[in-house]
Each structure stands twice: as structure tokens, then as C-alpha cells.
Amino acid sequence: MLLQRKPELTYADVTPKEIYFNRRKFLKAMGITGVAAFAGRNLLNLASPSRNVYAATKFTGLIKSPFSTTEKETPYQDVTHYNNFYEFGVDKAQPAKNAQNFRTSPWTVSVEGEVKTKRKFTMDEILKFAPLEERIYRHRCVEGWSIVVPWTGFSFNVLARLVEPTPKAKFVAFESYWDLGQMPMAKQALAGIEFPYVEGLRLDEAMNPLTLLCVGMYGESLPNQDGAPVRMVIPWKYGFKSIKSIVKIKFVSKEPPTTWNLANSHEYGFYSNVNPNVDHPRWSQATERRLGDIFRRKTLMFNGYQDQVASLYTGMDLKKYF
Ligand SMILES: Nc1nc2c(c(=O)[nH]1)N[C@H]1C(S)=C(S)[C@@H](COP(=O)(O)O)O[C@H]1N2
Ligand SMILES: [Mo]
């Protein structure tokens, strides 16, 4: 469902008075206390119950993250109409059109593998894990364009700590939703990649506080074309690592396969850290064009997040492990 930007409303504005004032009592009666109440603070559901309830959710009371850049945000229109989401077509304009009727509710994410507590989580449960933050990140696609987006979410390590990885867990494997009924273009013959879309991170990369489990952007739930209802955002890596519409998260002992590496291992490595000194065979990675800008700018090592992440790669030859 394509979002219209909505004016600021508070919970009280859209809620009948009795419900608003009795809400705390109601939550208590439902047994929803403590952490669960965070979601109540953050969520404002303006949806008609028909299709994607999350796609019409406006978040309130988001915590401002110290990890945010102060650079100018890319216009909402650009970020929602210039997308890579091959399940809905390979052209940048296609996902905004073809994902409109994508059903993202109900939705569950299965968390499995080397963890103490394997579990399936509903979106409602995920939204209650932690207070939601707004994180304004630079995001760079390997094709040479970049954006600055105010994402909504919390560190992935919150989820990881909840399910408790065992000592055997060394990597995390992610898998996207895949259904030819809803995604008729999600065929290898049409898109040139295999489905379901899969991605992976080393466990320490996944646990780094910058690694975001993302449920929204621009203060609202994710538009379908940007990976509703839940995706990853890993700001120091090329965009394709930030897998969309996640249905499975598996903690594993070996480096998991990743979609673009399977498609072309010479062009796409497992790590795929933004690195202006290592060119992609078809695109120089030295510069990038921010959507909306005319001139290109220099690409920064680790996309400018070197202070937070360089130590993850000490002693590694980043030309070899590209
Ligand atoms: N499931 C899935 N996730 C995906 C992709 C995709 O095709 N399918 N494209 C990736 C690429 S190449 C980029 S650049 C980002 C784009 O995210 P955005 O459209 O929200 O800017 O999503 C990544 N996640
Ligand atoms: Mo990308």
C-alpha cells in the first residue's frame, strides 16, 4: 500500500476518550506490562483492517539515536520510488507499483538454528521487543547511488539476546518472503537471481549496535517496496546486504550462502563492506551520487562508519574478503 504522508497526530487525537483513558487498565487486564507497553507508546494504527495494517502505522515517541547522521534526509518520494526489490521487478520504478497489494499481515518471523529458544514471532511481538528508535543512516547501493533515510527500529542484538545464541552460532542467515502468487516476477529466469533472497552476517557484525532490525521509515511503518513489514539495515555494507521482508532468521555455525554471491561470486563477496578502494568489476566504488544531487561525492570507507566497525575487520585483507 503506497503511503501518503500524514500530519502529526497523537494517540489521543484518533482514539475515543474512554479507550484512551482506560488504555492502561486495558493493557494490564490483557497482561501486557513492562516492555510490551513500549509498543503501545510507539504505535498509532491508522489503518483500515483490510490489508497491510502496518503500512498505515505512524510511530510516535521515537527515541532519537546517537548513531544518526546530521546529513540532509533524502526526499521520501525518492526513497519510495527508486528501489531494488527484485521480487517485484528489476527496474527501480517497478517495486512501488508491483508491491502495492503485497499482504504483510499477518506476518511471522521464524528464529531458528543455534539458539536456546527457537521461536516464531508475530510482528506485534517484534514491535514490543524494545522501544523504537529513529536512526538516520547513510545507505549506499553497490550501483553507485546513495540515500539518507530516517529508519525506525532497534539494534538486531536485542532479538539475538532474547533467543540466546549457543556457542556454536558464528553467523546469522536471513531469508526473505517468497511466493510466486504474490510475486510473479520472482523467478530466476526473469530476475537473474535465485529466490528466496538470502543474506548473511558474521555473528559479531550482526551483534554490532549499528545493525538495525528495521520496521519503518520517516516515522511510519515500512512501505511494501522498502521491505515491509521488517527488514535489516546494515549501514556500512552495500545495500544488497540489507535484506527485505524477512521471514526467517537462522543462527548457524558456517558462513551462509548469499543471493548476490550465488549469482556472481566474482562481483559480490560475503562481506560487501562499502570500500572506495576496491572496485566492483563494472562500477568504480570511489564515488557515489546521492539521490537528488547533481554531483557525485567521495565514498567513505565503511560508508563513514569506520569508528564503529573497523575493529571487526582487524587483520583481514579487505581486497580478498570483499
Ligand atoms: N528481498 C530483497 N531484499 C533486498 C533486495 C532485493 O532485491 N530483494 N535488494 C537489495 C538492494 S540491491 C538494495 S540497494 C536495497 C534497497 O533498499 P531500498 O529500496 O529500501 O532503498 O535493498 C536490498 N534488499
Ligand atoms: Mo543495491
Side-chain angles (χ1 to χ4, degrees), residues 83-87 139 141 145 147 151 176 197 225-226 231 239-240 242-244:
N83 301 100
N84 274 335
F85 198 169
Y86 276 32
E87 286 87 333
H139 182 75
C141 177
W145 49 273
I147 48 185
W151 305 105
S176 291
Y197 196 100
Q225 62 268 37
D226 289 284
R231 68 175 294 175
F240 62 86
S242 294
I243 184 170
K244 294 176 169 179

Side-chain angles (χ1 to χ4, degrees), residues 2-19:
L2 208 53
L3 288 177
Q4 299 289 324
R5 302 309 307 282
K6 293 175 210 75
E8 274 296 333
L9 288 174
T10 68
Y11 186 76
D13 288 329
V14 294
T15 312
K17 272 205 181 60
E18 319 76 68
I19 301 177

